[in-house]
Amino acid sequence: TTCNLMTLTMTDSYGDGWNGNRWQLVDLSGGIYYDTTLTSGSSATVTLCVLDGPCYEVVVDGGSYQYEVGWSLADDAGTTVLSGGAPYSGNYIGSDCVYGCTQPLADNYDALANIDDGSCSYAACLSADTTESFEDGTLGAWVNDSNDDFDWVTWSGSTWSGGTGPSGAFDSTTYIYMESSSPNFPNKTANLYTPCVDLSAWSAPALVFAYHMYGSTMGTLTVEASSDGGLSWDSLWAMSGDQGDNWWSAAVDLSAYSGSIAVRFSG
């Protein structure tokens, strides 16, 4: 691996060093590759050996009197690559930095990107009260996850396996369900999500739904939300085990979130 020599110039307008602030190169997994500071005085210059390839974020933070802090980073030819003060983060160096949409649920998701450039887009985003009863035989605004073990399906009447499932829908004639019998038993998961809900349309957003969990092999039904386009999920509600041959209603508060989120049922 080749080494790119870079020059970091640190300044302090008061002349007493950086008062605990640190200048760091942080890799995409959170590891600190390089760490330094201006311990005293008004300026100092250091030479960095930055490996050619890895992508690093420049982070400057951690101390007091941050308005006094200044710095610039120049390449081997003397050209300034980055400069700033404190606090500072969000700009990257390294040939392995790939900008694009990193949200897996977005329409323009780029699996090769490792830095989100803010370009993620969603063709369909719920922005008004929406009710789905699956009466047309489709999933509506909901999507089966292509990366799980099996799918949710639309159904009417009783399920084909005995001693489990409802005998009819909660609303009208159609519902969706996941078949827990063989070959999906045990320990297989079916995820169903809606990729984009614009919460700015509501003052008190919530997901309200009916569920039916009847049978000896009931697992766990979970409601989750993601504020980063499916990169990570927060568990908001869960129910496990046999709940009897009844439909039950639940409401999940979404007011802790803002902007756009994804919502997922995981069974």
Side-chain angles (χ1 to χ4, degrees), residues 3-94:
C3 178
N4 297 314
L5 294 179
M6 307 190 78
T7 301
L8 173 65
T9 301
M10 298 173 287
T11 62
D12 184 85
S13 61
Y14 192 76
D16 63 345
W18 274 9
N19 302 290
N21 291 286
R22 312 290 303 185
W23 192 98
Q24 297 175 328
L25 291 179
V26 181
D27 65 29
L28 295 181
S29 64
I32 298 174
Y33 171 73
Y34 186 83
D35 176 274
T36 190
T37 189
L38 180 61
T39 56
S40 62
S42 60
S43 66
T45 300
V46 295
T47 300
L48 287 66
C49 172
V50 181
L51 296 177
D52 182 26
C55 183
Y56 300 107
E57 181 181 15
V58 177
V59 178
V60 188
D61 207 351
S64 55
Y65 302 103
Q66 294 189 325
Y67 57 88
E68 300 174 4
V69 172
W71 58 271
S72 63
L73 182 67
D75 61 20
D76 196 32
T79 302
T80 298
V81 176
L82 291 174
S83 62
Y88 182 95
S89 64
N91 282 298
Y92 300 80
I93 59 173

Side-chain angles (χ1 to χ4, degrees), residues 23-234:
W23 192 98
Q24 297 175 328
L25 291 179
V26 181
D27 65 29
L28 295 181
S29 64
I32 298 174
Y33 171 73
Y34 186 83
D35 176 274
T36 190
T37 189
L38 180 61
T39 56
S40 62
S42 60
S43 66
T45 300
V46 295
T47 300
L48 287 66
C49 172
V50 181
L51 296 177
D52 182 26
C55 183
Y56 300 107
E57 181 181 15
V58 177
V59 178
V60 188
D61 207 351
S64 55
Y65 302 103
Q66 294 189 325
Y67 57 88
E68 300 174 4
V69 172
W71 58 271
S72 63
L73 182 67
D75 61 20
D76 196 32
T79 302
T80 298
V81 176
L82 291 174
S83 62
Y88 182 95
S89 64
N91 282 298
Y92 300 80
I93 59 173
S95 58
D96 285 353
C97 297
V98 180
Y99 291 84
C101 175
T102 62
Q103 298 182 9
L105 302 185
D107 299 325
N108 60 331
Y109 170 60
D110 183 354
L112 299 178
N114 53 23
I115 301 171
D116 196 281
D117 62 359
S119 68
C120 294
S121 62
Y122 296 84
C125 194
L126 298 182
S127 57
D129 287 345
T130 303
T131 300
E132 180 57 67
S133 187
F134 312 107
E135 298 306 317
D136 63 356
T138 72
L139 296 177
W142 297 89
V143 181
N144 271 307
D145 187 348
S146 61
N147 297 312
D148 58 5
D149 300 314
F150 66 110
D151 288 343
W152 293 75
V153 297
T154 57
W155 203 259
S156 61
S158 300
T159 60
W160 63 266
S161 54
T164 185
S167 57
F170 173 80
D171 176 59
S172 194
T173 61
T174 307
Y175 60 96
I176 59 170
Y177 89 108
M178 48 179 290
E179 178 56 57
S180 64
S181 300
S182 178
N184 300 326
F185 176 81
N187 300 326
K188 290 188 178 181
T189 300
N191 295 324
L192 185 77
Y193 66 87
T194 187
C196 184
V197 181
D198 181 5
L199 296 179
S200 64
W202 294 275
S203 59
L207 171 69
V208 181
F209 61 97
Y211 65 96
H212 192 287
M213 298 173 66
Y214 171 52
S216 60
T217 60
M218 287 299 104
T220 298
L221 178 65
T222 306
V223 174
E224 300 168 308
S226 174
S227 58
D228 55 14
L231 285 172
S232 61
W233 294 89
D234 303 323

